[in-house]
Amino acid sequence: MSGRTLTTAELQVEGVLTDASNLTARVLLTDAAGEPTGERALYKPIRGEAPLRDFPARTLGRREVAAYLISSVGGWDLIPQTVLRDGPLGPGSVQRWIDWESTGWGPGAGLLEAFPDGAVPDGWLPLVQGEAADGSPVTVCHADTADLASLAVLDVVLNNADRKGAHLVRDADGHLWGFDHGLTLHLDDKLRTVLWGWAGQPLPEEDLARLGQLRVELAAGAGLATRLTEPVGDLPRDDTGGLVSAAELVALRERVDQLLADPVFPALPTGRYPLPWPLW
């Protein structure tokens, strides 16, 4: 899908995701004559964002786009193309739809699983212990794969406050994608994720290279720093009008600098709850 298609195609609402926290529609992309192009996207209008106690109002769509840009410019390629544009319900984020249905695997499948207690197979890292519906003990684990570890690094950079198992899919080619990044890039430490299995381990070498590349692009006046903070048309925001505020950009730089200075996965925090709810 070209950037021009996602930015300029007409959006025809196909249906609404009823389990989403904010208004989220799957849309068909149509040409000038209203004919479907065969491509789909996720559309999250700003007007459908639920008010939150700890995130500024009407900023979640902007954070979705900022997360995509950080993933793309840093070389992770783990977040589908996302743009900010107008749509049938007003301005919002529009993200390329990942076809996971044809794989036969649902979101999170093969990436986050619960195993009978004491029966964690090779290739999985334990996250938390719990109980199955019948009361039997289980261990919730995530897969120990290189691409998932790279996504865990990206989540630290983004300060992702909501990395659930259902926010992870593989496409028909096996490529890993993460989505739902509205709760990112906060000034305070908000990392809540199901990907804690590497805590305290060294960061992968390829991710250190990505972090170095990202830090160059985040320098004052560099391309990504400018794109993140420059005004975005007349779309609503309560402060500067950029995808992130100036203070949030500084906090982003500091997280990258910290990872480069101490290249290990962070330990679980002790002063707050570190997991999203629900896990899936």
Side-chain angles (χ1 to χ4, degrees), residues 4-248:
R4 181 173 177 81
T5 299
L6 196 64
T7 303
T8 61
E10 295 296 319
L11 306 181
Q12 178 181 324
V13 175
E14 184 179 33
V16 174
L17 277 63
T18 57
D19 58 349
S21 301
N22 300 287
L23 178 57
T24 303
R26 190 166 78 168
V27 294
L28 298 171
L29 304 186
T30 64
D31 59 23
E35 295 298 322
T37 64
E39 297 173 308
R40 290 179 166 85
L42 276 180
Y43 166 47
K44 298 182 179 181
I46 292 173
R47 64 191 292 186
E49 294 180 4
L52 296 171
R53 175 179 55 82
D54 53 348
F55 276 81
R58 302 167 71 84
T59 67
L60 305 191
R62 292 172 179 268
R63 296 172 194 277
E64 295 266 12
V65 179
Y68 160 69
L69 291 175
I70 292 166
S71 169
S72 177
V73 171
W76 278 279
D77 190 31
L78 292 170
I79 298 176
Q81 180 191 6
T82 313
V83 302
L84 201 63
R85 54 161 293 182
D86 203 0
L89 296 174
S93 65
V94 178
Q95 183 175 85
R96 180 169 66 91
W97 176 262
I98 300 300
D99 175 24
W100 53 265
E101 297 102 324
S102 63
T103 68
W105 295 80
L111 298 164
L112 185 71
E113 300 288 349
F115 299 101
D117 194 39
V120 177
D122 292 339
W124 292 84
L125 296 173
L127 174 66
V128 65
Q129 293 184 323
E131 292 184 352
D134 62 2
S136 60
V138 296
T139 302
V140 179
C141 305
H142 65 72
D144 183 9
T145 63
D147 54 2
L148 203 56
S150 289
L151 183 61
V153 175
L154 177 59
D155 278 341
V156 177
V157 171
L158 296 175
N159 195 16
N160 192 346
D162 196 33
R163 174 60 74 205
K164 296 182 174 70
H167 297 167
L168 302 167
V169 298
R170 291 195 184 278
D171 63 20
D173 296 323
H175 188 99
L176 175 68
W177 297 101
F179 54 90
D180 209 347
H181 296 95
L183 300 185
T184 57
L185 299 164
H186 199 282
L187 293 175
D188 301 328
D189 178 20
K190 294 280 187 181
L191 185 62
R192 292 191 291 266
T193 176
V194 295
L195 303 179
W196 286 109
W198 297 282
Q201 296 186 25
L203 300 183
E205 288 296 325
E206 57 269 27
D207 289 300
L208 287 177
R210 291 174 179 130
L211 289 166
Q213 176 179 327
L214 179 62
R215 187 59 182 86
V216 170
E217 290 293 328
L218 289 174
L224 180 58
T226 300
R227 293 178 72 182
L228 290 176
T229 54
E230 65 186 358
V232 185
D234 59 355
L235 301 185
R237 183 181 166 98
D238 293 337
D239 51 18
T240 64
L243 296 175
V244 300
S245 69
E248 288 165 347

